[in-house]
Amino acid sequence: MSDTLLEARELHAYYGASHILHGVNFRVERGETIGLLGRNGMGKTTLIRSMLGLVSQRDGEVLVRGSLMTRAAPHLIARQGIAYVPEGRGIFPNLSVRENLVMAARAGVDGHYHWTYERILATFPRLAERLDNGGWQLSGGEQQMLTIGRALLTNPDLLLLDEATEGLAPLIRREIWKIIQHIQATGITTVIVDKNHSAILDISDRIVVLNKGQVAFEANSADARNQPGLLHRYLGV
Amino acid sequence: MDLVTFLIQLLNGLQYGLLLFLVASGLTLIFGIMGIINLAHGSFYMIGAYLAFSLSTLTGNLFTAILLGIVLSAVLGIILEWLLISRLYHRDHLEQVLLTYGLILIFEALRSILVGDDVHSIAIPAILNHSIPLTDTLSYPVYRIFISMVCLILAGLMYGVIQRTRLGMMIRAGASNREMVQSLGINIQLVYRLVFAMGFTLAAFAGMLAAPISSVYPGMGDQVLIICFVVVVIGGIGSVWGALVAALLIGLVDTFSKVFFPELAGITVYLLMAMVLLWRPEGLFRMT
């Protein structure tokens, strides 16, 4: 089996008449943590959504674990051990916290349940206190934890986190970053999109910067830390 | 009105309401969760009644006919969703109305070709063809009580499936965020197919149950369709619980208005709908 979990080859994506991705090549190897950076509107979310089969107008190829899945339905891609924590969360507000978690639970591709319901509650004690609350009653931070916990219950090999700390209070953000580090430490491959570039540089192995729908550059995070000029050029920081 | 007559009308109203619920629950789920306005839903009721008629003529037993009819309806529902309805999810309501209205015409034409345009009656099975005496002159038919009981059991089962099972959670989750459900590895297309087939089967089953008391006739689905849309609107689109409450309300209002204000009987349910909408434009309950 290939050790490339997810790969985009010459990927183009469109929303109606607008051409968002212009031939993006992007690889996620097992075990790495990738920071996906770029200013607003440069195609980070579209790249993720296109690889997951959620953007219907596409050209190019998407490979999951080495197999071509460009035209596969989103649920089949997800079942290959790929979990998605979308921008703006995506909890089910009309389901209780417990139901949000239970409905998603599934064995991983290897057939094992590494993340069980009990383990999720131990990892997110705040959720354990609110099991019977409706999703709509949660605070922003709790919603984010629920989305991450729910994604983990699908026992993924790869977790895609899109703006997981967006719109949260600083204290809660710090908690979410800790959780992300904890997830990393369990060996789950992660792709992180976030506005906090220094946090991403600290925890990622590699960064990929998108600019106007193309990969502007890729670098080891250690190298990027030593070349602040590069980031400044593409990200304006 | 004496107490016994009142009791009889009450039971009639409840039985009518429960039967309406079987049809309307599928309609509200298909509308609220899948986003499809299904005008052909009344035809499913009609198809059920005609299945009961044809199959009981064939087999000589209504219960066998109903069992076969349930299987056939489920299969028909799955085929219909796969062939046509699945193409409507990303289209607007006008296109949905056009296609499902077309289906009404097709189903009525098929009925006319296959079974003809006559009115048929179906005998109540001997085992249920009794009445419970209430006074010296008044009695209540067991078959109507049987219908109410079956409907209540089904309502309970449906509540259990939607509120307590993972399938029910997926159905409810799909109503709030279809894309997210898919991203969790759930085949939402398959979930919708099941919901649609369930709605089809419930409506058809209601037609089968009603056939012995209402007889079987052309256009019988149209009246049910309109009343069921009233139920869905009053109960709140997508709410199964709301459909139950609204269906019982309509069953009682319709039945009693025929007794007390026969000259207004045709419009009381619409007056009720207008009043509810003025008070709560979104219906009595929120989506399931």
Side-chain angles (χ1 to χ4, degrees):
Chain A
M1 193 173 33
S2 162
D3 253 11
T4 306
L5 288 176
L6 185 61
E7 185 178 356
R9 285 185 190 160
E10 282 300 311
L11 197 61
H12 291 259
Y14 312 80
Y15 283 124
S18 28
H19 191 170
I20 311 289
L21 296 183
H22 300 263
V24 172
N25 291 295
F26 182 76
R27 272 169 91 98
V28 185
E29 304 289 341
R30 183 186 290 276
E32 57 176 356
T33 299
I34 301 179
L36 183 57
L37 306 179
R39 284 197 292 258
N40 277 344
M42 292 305 168
K44 298 171 307 243
T45 299
T46 304
L47 173 59
I48 290 179
R49 289 171 48 82
S50 301
M51 291 190 293
L52 295 177
L54 296 171
V55 177
S56 54
Q57 286 179 283
R58 280 169 312 173
D59 290 316
E61 291 180 343
V62 173
L63 289 91
V64 180
R65 294 173 186 269
S67 313
L68 199 60
M69 291 191 85
T70 314
R71 293 283 151 212
H75 72 272
L76 294 177
I77 294 175
R79 284 184 198 173
Q80 290 297 310
I82 298 174
Y84 175 39
V85 173
E87 199 179 3
R89 293 151 205 145
I91 60 153
F92 304 118
N94 54 336
L95 269 62
S96 71
V97 171
R98 187 195 316 269
E99 289 174 331
N100 263 281
L101 292 171
V102 168
M103 61 94 62
R106 180 155 44 84
V109 173
D110 61 4
H112 290 290
Y113 289 89
H114 304 281
W115 292 89
T116 59
Y117 181 66
E118 291 73 27
R119 184 171 173 195
I120 294 295
L121 296 189
T123 312
F124 303 93
R126 290 165 76 109
L127 294 182
E129 293 163 18
R130 312 213 57 178
L131 285 176
D132 293 317
N133 284 97
W136 57 277
Q137 292 168 307
L138 300 185
S139 70
E142 289 165 339
Q143 287 187 32
Q144 196 56 261
M145 290 175 199
L146 180 55
T147 317
I148 296 174
R150 191 180 60 188
L152 290 174
L153 266 176
T154 66
N155 284 291
D157 294 312
L158 169 60
L159 183 63
L160 302 153
L161 294 153
D162 194 354
E163 304 276 12
T165 64
E166 177 81 358
L168 300 178
L171 216 67
I172 310 288
R173 283 184 189 208
R174 222 171 301 154
E175 214 174 318
I176 300 283
W177 280 112
K178 261 191 219 153
I179 290 165
I180 293 173
Q181 278 173 302
H182 173 73
I183 293 167
Q184 247 190 318
T186 65
I188 294 177
T189 309
T190 43
V191 173
I192 305 171
V193 175
D194 205 280
K195 297 223 164 46
N196 187 343
H197 301 129
S198 68
I200 284 197
L201 284 177
D202 283 344
I203 72 166
S204 62
D205 304 307
R206 197 154 68 83
I207 56 160
V208 174
V209 179
L210 288 185
N211 191 35
K212 293 179 180 160
Q214 287 176 311
V215 175
F217 77 90
E218 305 183 49
N220 287 325
S221 301
D223 296 343
R225 275 197 295 270
N226 299 329
Q227 293 175 272
L230 268 180
L231 280 188
H232 183 75
R233 205 165 118 210
Y234 293 102
L235 304 170
V237 289
Chain B
M1 178 192 260
D2 61 85
L3 192 65
V4 175
T5 317
F6 177 80
L7 179 70
I8 288 175
Q9 295 303 337
L10 183 70
L11 287 172
N12 279 342
L14 290 175
Q15 178 260 307
Y16 176 48
L18 285 166
L19 206 59
L20 276 182
F21 166 70
L22 282 198
V23 187
S25 56
L27 190 65
T28 203
L29 281 180
I30 290 168
F31 193 5
I33 288 174
M34 298 161 56
I36 301 282
I37 298 187
N38 180 23
L39 293 188
H41 210 74
S43 302
F44 304 166
Y45 176 83
M46 182 272 291
I47 289 171
Y50 274 88
L51 277 176
F53 166 69
S54 309
L55 292 170
S56 65
T57 313
L58 213 67
T59 62
N61 183 319
L62 182 63
F63 293 119
T64 318
I66 286 181
L67 279 182
L68 285 172
I70 287 173
V71 175
L72 276 175
S73 313
V75 173
L76 263 173
I78 287 170
I79 292 174
L80 198 58
E81 196 278 347
W82 168 72
L83 202 64
L84 295 172
I85 304 295
S86 60
R87 287 155 221 279
L88 291 176
Y89 297 137
H90 300 292
R91 294 176 183 266
D92 64 29
H93 285 160
L94 178 64
E95 288 171 295
Q96 300 176 355
V97 164
L98 280 175
L99 183 97
T100 53
Y101 182 68
L103 282 176
I104 298 183
L105 302 179
I106 290 170
F107 287 137
E108 283 293 335
L110 281 175
R111 178 213 27 87
S112 179
I113 293 166
L114 294 172
V115 198
D117 295 329
D118 297 333
V119 175
H120 299 281
S121 59
I122 299 178
I124 294 172
I127 190 169
L128 295 171
N129 199 3
H130 307 286
S131 290
I132 298 171
L134 298 172
T135 62
D136 292 342
T137 50
L138 293 171
S139 61
Y140 198 77
V142 170
Y143 187 72
R144 282 182 184 267
I145 296 175
F146 167 75
I147 291 182
S148 298
M149 291 315 226
V150 172
C151 290
L152 276 176
I153 291 168
L154 277 175
L157 273 177
M158 226 158 69
Y159 178 84
V161 168
I162 289 170
Q163 293 300 326
R164 298 264 177 265
T165 67
R166 271 184 65 153
L167 176 65
M169 293 172 201
M170 291 172 193
I171 291 172
R172 284 181 285 141
S176 84
N177 191 341
R178 213 178 281 204
E179 206 170 72
M180 196 62 233
V181 175
Q182 291 177 294
S183 298
L184 290 168
I186 292 161
N187 185 350
I188 192 80
Q189 192 79 34
L190 188 65
V191 172
Y192 283 1
R193 192 157 297 159
L194 285 172
V195 170
F196 188 82
M198 190 174 84
F200 190 118
T201 311
L202 283 168
F205 182 62
M208 297 177 212
L209 281 180
I213 50 173
S214 74
S215 74
V216 176
Y217 54 95
M220 66 186 291
D222 304 351
Q223 296 169 344
V224 169
L225 175 73
I226 293 165
I227 283 292
C228 282
F229 266 113
V230 174
V231 169
V232 169
V233 168
I234 291 181
I237 292 165
S239 168
V240 173
W241 177 240
L244 179 61
V245 173
L248 289 173
L249 206 60
I250 283 184
L252 293 172
V253 166
D254 187 62
T255 306
F256 280 104
S257 67
K258 277 176 184 153
V259 178
F260 291 120
F261 321 103
E263 60 285 352
L264 286 178
I267 59 165
T268 44
V269 293
Y270 304 102
L271 286 177
L272 177 70
M273 174 170 77
M275 280 176 346
V276 170
L277 287 183
L278 281 174
W279 170 48
R280 284 177 75 99
E282 70 283 4
L284 294 177
F285 293 89
R286 294 194 327 155
M287 194 180 293
T288 296

